Amino acid sequence: MEHRSPPGISVRKFSTRRAKTNACGQRYRSRPIDTRTRQCGNIEVRTAMPQQNSTTDAPSATEVSTQDDHVRSIFAILEGEQEADLLLRNLHILDVHSETVYPGTLLVHGGRIIALSPDESIVRFRESFDGEGLYAIPGLIDAHLHFESQLAHPAAFGEAIVPSGTTTVFGETLDFASAAGEEAVEAARALFADHDKLPYRLYAFAPGKKTSPEVTEAMLAMDPVIGLGELAHLSYMTGNADDFRKSALGRANAGFVNCHWGVTSLSDMLLNYMPAIGVDNNHDVWNEADIEKSIRYGLNTQIKFGVGSPEVIRTMLRAIVKRRWPAENFQLCADNISVDRVLRQGHIDWVVSLAVEMGMPPIKAIKMGTLYAARSFHKDRDLGSLSPGRFADIVLTDSLSKINPRYVFKGGKLVAADRRLLEPVGIDYSVLAKRPRPGLGDLRPELLELTPIEISADGTLAKVLLFDVYGRGHRKFAQEVWVPYRDGAVVPEHDGARLNRISIVQRYADGPRHIVNGLFQGVSIDRGAVSTFWPAPSAYFVVAGADSAEMCDNLHRLDGLVGGCVVTEDREVRAMLPLDFYGVMADMDLAELVEATRSIDDALLKLGHHNEGEPVVNKLLTLFISLDRFGFMK
């Protein structure tokens, strides 16, 4: 039966026995193991260790038999003796290897492509799909993403990205694990438990920072973890023993190692350290000079678009085009992004189209979001091209220069059409929800007052800290500036602009509470207050407003949640976004989460703030990265 405008298709499971695979479809061999036990908080962690003997790599008779069945099945299908699962017809197929497009068909079985343009007088198949003459390109790949940054759990995130054509994500989980604390190992297991049911492929990384080496070691043994997450370049400057241990664990597990390379922070000598220990990739680039160094040092360089000013991604893409750097050096990633932005603008599809707009040839741009991303993680035998043996992760688009995903397939199953997910994911993450643990019982308004660092000799100016929401990636995140000082009080003005105040407040204090007060560029409200909380690596609040009493009341209201964002006016809550999963993820589906984040922006609009780009809650949460990086949290 042929479908021309299907709401979905039913693709049967591979009907013959297959090679033993993990949930990502990677073949592996069972080997005898011993176990070593370590203590992780109050959890005993058992880490599997391969036995070192000459026979452990020998395949068993059962494995050989399974592989024999597999190769015979493929041969039988191509001989017309058995049925394949699916034939996709009427396509213009992009061959990323030769950088050509040709008309043809794709035969799919067991979730993988098994033939290009097979002889239809010979092959048999259970289902067919009319591609309507659209371009078939490989499923798009996000090479570096922080799962916590978009505030959505993996299923809700899939509702946003898969209709945009993204079928694979290489995801960091360091803030989630850090927020879970002593529960990190079990929390990670719960987060990953049903990842094979997601409408995209997930390859994850164990935390390279913000957690103990014991947590890192335990997570390295989990599926779908493939390596060590991004390392903390600032602590490497001090020769941190935990960092050394985590790097050793990553290398010993033959995994990949991600990093913030720290081109703006490290000496030329220390810039050699991470590539020298085998770090695979780097996403800490912001401009042409950063990119030039990153590729010179041999790092797979990930061009990110989800953080900072919207102009940053354009600056980097223009540099690649101007310098004519080979596209194979680069992969595309979001890093930190909101689901709201994905819905409004797109995901990897958007940045591919933007690269073309900046002057890059369309096929080169697509390869940065497909083949080159897969190759950088040595996954190009499974991902990144429409070739036999690869996963049937396919996007059908009506243009190569402006990606418009009409149909999206994961493993030969149609999962999205015309920018809508066809079936709900249906994974229950509620076991991750926690109860609030308030910590601000003694917080008073006077503790949030802005006190000058220094007063000028004539008493008319005060030196204070100025924080910039777009200051990430360079030294302008926090500056000491002079502002007017009148009648014994700081006037919140700088360079002719009136600013809000900001307070950075420690949630749980063992002794005097750590509080940093300053001025803030990024949210501008005439009245009321807005606050956010982030628990990783330290539990802190950020609150912005103009009045200490309002700001203090707002914080007490947010303190009644596990985490999230609260907007108040006249000590009344105007909007609220709870993050019940350890304070970093919402227990919501996509529609609920988008409604909640937009309600924050709507409430702030009524208070005088006119927002552009990312939702305010996501902008505020990116502050915590730099607050940690530049030492503003204990």
Side-chain angles (χ1 to χ4, degrees), residues 29-214:
R29 294 174 178 173
S30 299
R31 295 188 290 176
I33 59 173
D34 62 22
T35 58
R36 297 180 185 175
T37 303
R38 301 180 68 90
Q39 200 68 22
C40 178
N42 57 2
I43 300 171
E44 187 177 77
V45 179
R46 297 185 181 273
T47 303
M49 306 294 293
Q51 289 183 1
Q52 303 300 313
N53 63 63
S54 60
T55 63
T56 54
D57 287 336
S60 68
T62 301
E63 287 177 305
V64 173
S65 177
T66 300
Q67 296 290 355
D68 186 76
D69 287 348
H70 174 72
V71 298
R72 288 176 182 273
S73 294
I74 298 298
F75 186 83
I77 290 171
L78 297 180
E79 287 288 298
E81 297 170 1
Q82 292 184 20
E83 284 186 323
D85 291 331
L86 172 69
L87 181 70
L88 287 93
R89 288 193 175 112
N90 192 13
L91 305 173
H92 286 88
I93 302 169
L94 172 60
D95 174 9
V96 293
H97 299 291
S98 66
E99 298 189 352
T100 58
V101 176
Y102 65 94
T105 61
L106 297 172
L107 189 66
V108 176
H109 191 73
R112 294 180 182 258
I113 297 168
I114 64 167
L116 305 179
S117 301
D119 186 340
E120 292 187 40
S121 68
I122 296 176
V123 298
R124 297 185 291 131
F125 41 88
R126 298 181 181 92
E127 301 281 350
S128 67
F129 183 90
D130 181 6
E132 303 172 11
L134 298 169
Y135 294 101
I137 67 173
L140 301 175
I141 299 171
D142 189 329
H144 179 84
L145 177 107
H146 290 263
F147 262 105
E148 311 87 351
S149 64
Q150 74 283 340
L151 312 180
H153 56 64
F157 189 54
E159 293 182 67
I161 64 167
V162 172
S164 293
T166 302
T167 57
T168 298
V169 165
F170 289 88
E172 295 272 355
T173 56
L174 58 94
D175 283 308
F176 175 82
S178 177
E182 291 188 348
E183 299 177 10
V185 175
E186 291 306 317
R189 287 198 181 102
L191 187 73
F192 296 148
D194 292 315
H195 73 88
D196 56 328
K197 297 179 182 177
L198 293 168
Y200 58 95
R201 299 187 194 282
L202 170 60
Y203 298 93
F205 296 90
K209 59 185 179 183
K210 297 189 180 181
T211 63
S212 69
E214 288 76 19

Side-chain angles (χ1 to χ4, degrees), residues 5-16:
S5 299
I9 60 175
S10 175
V11 180
R12 298 182 194 176
K13 300 277 189 180
F14 189 17
S15 59
T16 59

Side-chain angles (χ1 to χ4, degrees), residues 423-435:
E423 297 179 5
V425 179
I427 300 175
D428 182 7
Y429 294 98
S430 60
V431 67
L432 297 172
K434 310 305 293 182
R435 293 182 178 179

Side-chain angles (χ1 to χ4, degrees), residues 321-566:
V321 172
K322 182 184 84 170
R323 297 292 297 273
R324 298 183 181 179
W325 284 315
E328 63 221 44
N329 292 302
F330 305 106
Q331 306 83 47
L332 304 178
C333 71
D335 198 9
N336 302 304
I337 193 171
S338 68
V339 291
D340 191 280
R341 183 173 174 185
V342 171
L343 293 178
R344 294 178 187 271
Q345 192 173 57
H347 190 216
I348 302 300
D349 60 319
W350 175 77
V351 72
V352 167
S353 301
L354 182 61
V356 176
E357 184 182 321
M358 295 296 104
M360 188 173 294
I363 295 178
K364 296 286 189 185
I366 291 170
K367 290 174 73 171
M368 291 197 303
T370 56
L371 179 64
Y372 296 150
R375 188 174 288 168
S376 71
F377 292 105
H378 298 182
K379 298 294 184 186
D380 47 317
R381 291 184 65 185
D382 289 324
L383 306 167
S385 66
L386 301 182
S387 308
R390 277 67 171 182
F391 287 124
D393 299 346
I394 304 163
V395 175
L396 304 187
T397 172
D398 51 25
S399 171
L400 295 182
S401 59
K402 187 173 180 60
I403 305 300
N404 176 32
R406 292 283 311 283
Y407 302 102
V408 182
F409 294 80
K410 179 208 173 187
K413 178 183 179 182
L414 185 65
V415 291
D418 293 322
R419 301 235 178 221
R420 295 183 64 86
L421 200 67
L422 295 181
E423 297 179 5
V425 179
I427 300 175
D428 182 7
Y429 294 98
S430 60
V431 67
L432 297 172
K434 310 305 293 182
R435 293 182 178 179
R437 188 165 68 89
L440 295 182
D442 63 345
L443 185 69
R444 306 181 307 278
E446 54 265 30
L447 296 175
L448 307 182
E449 291 291 340
L450 182 53
T451 303
I453 299 170
E454 183 182 344
I455 298 175
S456 65
D458 62 5
T460 63
L461 297 174
K463 182 183 288 185
V464 298
L465 281 171
L466 173 61
F467 294 90
D468 183 352
V469 74
Y470 278 138
R472 295 191 53 232
H474 53 74
R475 300 182 186 279
K476 293 182 180 180
F477 169 70
Q479 305 174 77
E480 293 184 356
V481 298
W482 290 97
V483 299
Y485 188 69
R486 290 195 291 267
D487 300 324
V490 171
V491 178
E493 295 179 357
H494 182 61
D495 288 343
R498 185 167 182 84
L499 302 174
N500 284 126
R501 286 165 39 202
I502 187 172
S503 292
I504 300 136
V505 181
Q506 184 182 28
R507 187 171 194 175
Y508 306 112
D510 183 12
R513 189 177 305 279
H514 182 230
I515 299 175
V516 179
N517 299 315
L519 297 180
F520 184 47
Q521 291 182 152
V523 173
S524 178
I525 50 179
D526 301 324
R527 58 195 185 280
V530 56
S531 64
T532 56
F533 168 75
W534 198 248
S538 303
Y540 270 79
F541 296 94
V542 162
V543 60
D547 177 75
S548 297
E550 181 80 37
M551 293 164 68
C552 185
D553 180 78
N554 180 292
L555 283 174
H556 279 292
R557 293 178 183 275
L558 182 53
D559 195 34
L561 303 177
V562 178
C565 181
V566 172

